[in-house]
Amino acid sequence: MSTDHKKNQPIYLDYHSTTPVDFRVAKQMFDQMTAAFGNASSVDHKYGDEAKTAVDQSVLYVADLIGASSKQIIWTSGATESINLAIFGHIARNSDRTLPRIAILPVEHKAVIDTCEALAKQKLAEIIQLQVDSKGRVELENLEKVCASGISLLCVVAANNEIGNIYPIGEIGKIAQRYEVAFLCDASQVVGKVPIDFAEWGITYLAISGHKLYGPKGVGALVVRKGYRLKPLIYGGGHQKGMRSGTLNVPGIVGLGEACRLRKLEMVEDERAIATKRDQMQELLIEAIPGLVVNGDTQSRLAGNLHISIPGIPNSAIIARVHSKLAISSGAACSSGVEVPSHVLRALGLSSEQMEGALRIGIGKFTTEEEVCQAVKILSETIFSIR
Ligand code: PLP
């Protein structure tokens, strides 16, 4: 994000919702759309060959970032489609005559919850809710018991998009493998921020979203472990070995590939700097705003996540007042605008005051120290004026 672009704009602190596209990513996409615009399935000429080569290169970058093989990757329109494909596709292909049981964390993204509920409504699956504590941490003993009781699919998000908790995916994958349970991990918030080892961690299906790692919107991937078969959601043309028909979104794929290549090189350093700014912001806010509570698991959360509650002050009152100066949110992008408290905060059992006063702040690699200080000033002055 250039400084020009930021001029006279609210300070962007909503990186969980979406990240700005890295200019280097946008440049690759622009070149792909203009100079090398071919269809990757056109096998009869140079334009098609060039597009296919670009896709083949991108798949290597994605696979390399997450420790998977390039053969395991299916391109999709984003994490929502990847999750739908994994859940519907797995249940359709792998159920016998008994009703399949799907275990999920109550803090999963709506893409997982609503997909499972759609199956449950059609009486095609039963949903089992796993237990979390008041910080949203998973109860591993309970998870193991549920796996041992016999389930068709386990869904655990790698990091939550509201409170930012990072879940112990390696450990959970081992449990899933021990009980031979297929395991879907929604890694949208984690890919490019925290190292992932798909091959080692016992994950069966991994969902990726381009726009959470400084890549474009409308592109993502589903990574599928060897030996697992899914029923496709989309038919026509037989692209991607029939798993997801439709002309490949070559510029999007190239953008996702480039974003992954850059994250592999820059992730560790960037995330360290982001965590420093987040910690600084947290300290300053605690100092400036009496009664402020930090939600979620502060021992294991995304570097850029700061989820706070200011009990007694509704988040809507704060957001309305800072709207022209700060881009922060009351919750997940898909749920904001809806007046009910988020399902994530309800799962934690927070008090109604804590839920009503909840604010999600998301810091990213383009956030400056100056913006952090400015945001703290704006927030504390606003809260002081309301009180
Ligand atoms: N899962 C999580 C944890 C998310 O944060 C998001 C994005 O909002 C999604 C899934 C959906 O991703 P997409 O926008 O690529 O469909």
Side-chain angles (χ1 to χ4, degrees), residues 9-20:
Q9 291 286 339
I11 299 170
Y12 189 71
L13 293 173
D14 201 14
Y15 277 75
H16 303 302
S17 159
T18 195
T19 53

Side-chain angles (χ1 to χ4, degrees), residues 280-301:
Q280 182 193 4
M281 188 168 199
Q282 179 174 307
E283 247 174 66
L284 291 171
L285 282 173
I286 289 174
E287 232 174 72
I289 305 169
L292 180 143
V293 182
V294 179
N295 299 314
D297 182 4
T298 52
Q299 300 305 307
S300 175
R301 64 179 158 163

Side-chain angles (χ1 to χ4, degrees), residues 78-80 83 109 157 159 161 186 188-189 209 211-212:
T80 302
I83 289 163
H109 189 272
V157 69
N161 53 301
D186 170 6
S188 314
Q189 292 288 342
S209 171
H211 70 107
K212 310 288 185 182

Side-chain angles (χ1 to χ4, degrees), residues 230-251:
L230 293 170
K231 186 171 185 281
L233 287 179
I234 297 172
Y235 292 87
H239 305 77
Q240 306 199 65
K241 299 196 190 105
M243 284 313 303
R244 202 279 193 178
S245 283
T247 302
L248 290 183
N249 168 10
V250 183

Side-chain angles (χ1 to χ4, degrees), residues 43-301:
V43 293
D44 295 329
H45 50 70
K46 186 166 175 279
Y47 296 90
D49 294 344
E50 276 174 359
K52 183 172 180 309
T53 304
V55 170
D56 290 348
Q57 184 58 64
S58 298
V59 84
L60 295 177
Y61 292 144
V62 177
D64 186 40
L65 179 64
I66 55 167
S69 142
S70 57
K71 289 195 186 106
Q72 297 171 316
I73 290 169
I74 302 169
W75 303 113
T76 64
S77 63
T80 302
E81 184 189 329
S82 300
I83 289 163
N84 272 264
L85 175 57
I87 297 175
F88 281 124
H90 178 85
I91 295 300
R93 190 85 196 220
N94 297 284
S95 52
D96 46 26
R97 255 174 290 157
T98 54
L99 187 66
R101 300 164 79 228
I102 309 176
I104 65 173
L105 276 193
V107 299
E108 292 295 314
H109 189 272
K110 285 286 183 182
V112 168
I113 295 176
D114 289 355
T115 307
C116 291
E117 280 179 358
L119 277 171
K121 241 186 219 155
Q122 295 171 60
K123 305 218 173 343
L124 294 174
E126 180 193 347
I127 306 171
I128 316 286
Q129 295 281 351
L130 296 166
Q131 286 168 11
V132 293
D133 67 12
S134 63
K135 292 190 182 302
R137 293 173 297 205
V138 60
E139 307 271 6
L140 284 178
E141 252 177 56
N142 162 255
L143 182 142
E144 176 149 11
K145 251 191 220 155
V146 169
C147 287
S149 73
I151 52 173
S152 305
L153 184 64
L154 169 69
C155 305
V156 179
V157 69
N160 176 269
N161 53 301
E162 288 186 48
I163 51 175
N165 285 17
I166 298 175
Y167 291 93
I169 295 304
E171 233 175 302
I172 292 168
K174 277 202 195 96
I175 297 173
Q177 277 185 324
R178 197 175 310 139
Y179 296 96
E180 296 181 1
V181 167
F183 172 27
L184 163 64
C185 176
D186 170 6
S188 314
Q189 292 288 342
V190 153
V191 173
K193 292 167 198 156
V194 179
I196 291 185
D197 196 338
F198 180 81
E200 285 298 309
W201 286 5
I203 304 163
T204 314
Y205 309 113
L206 184 99
I208 303 178
S209 171
H211 70 107
K212 310 288 185 182
L213 63 147
Y214 311 101
K217 293 170 187 57
V219 66
L222 180 69
V223 192
V224 180
R225 183 168 291 276
K226 193 167 175 241
Y228 285 82
R229 302 288 301 160
L230 293 170
K231 186 171 185 281
L233 287 179
I234 297 172
Y235 292 87
H239 305 77
Q240 306 199 65
K241 299 196 190 105
M243 284 313 303
R244 202 279 193 178
S245 283
T247 302
L248 290 183
N249 168 10
V250 183
I253 290 167
V254 165
L256 175 54
E258 179 67 358
C260 287
R261 186 184 76 80
L262 294 169
R263 290 293 75 215
K264 175 91 185 181
L265 296 174
E266 300 169 3
M267 166 169 84
V268 173
E269 210 172 304
D270 280 352
E271 292 302 298
R272 203 177 292 136
I274 290 168
T276 304
K277 283 174 204 147
R278 187 270 318 275
D279 291 345
Q280 182 193 4
M281 188 168 199
Q282 179 174 307
E283 247 174 66
L284 291 171
L285 282 173
I286 289 174
E287 232 174 72
I289 305 169
L292 180 143
V293 182
V294 179
N295 299 314
D297 182 4
T298 52
Q299 300 305 307
S300 175
R301 64 179 158 163

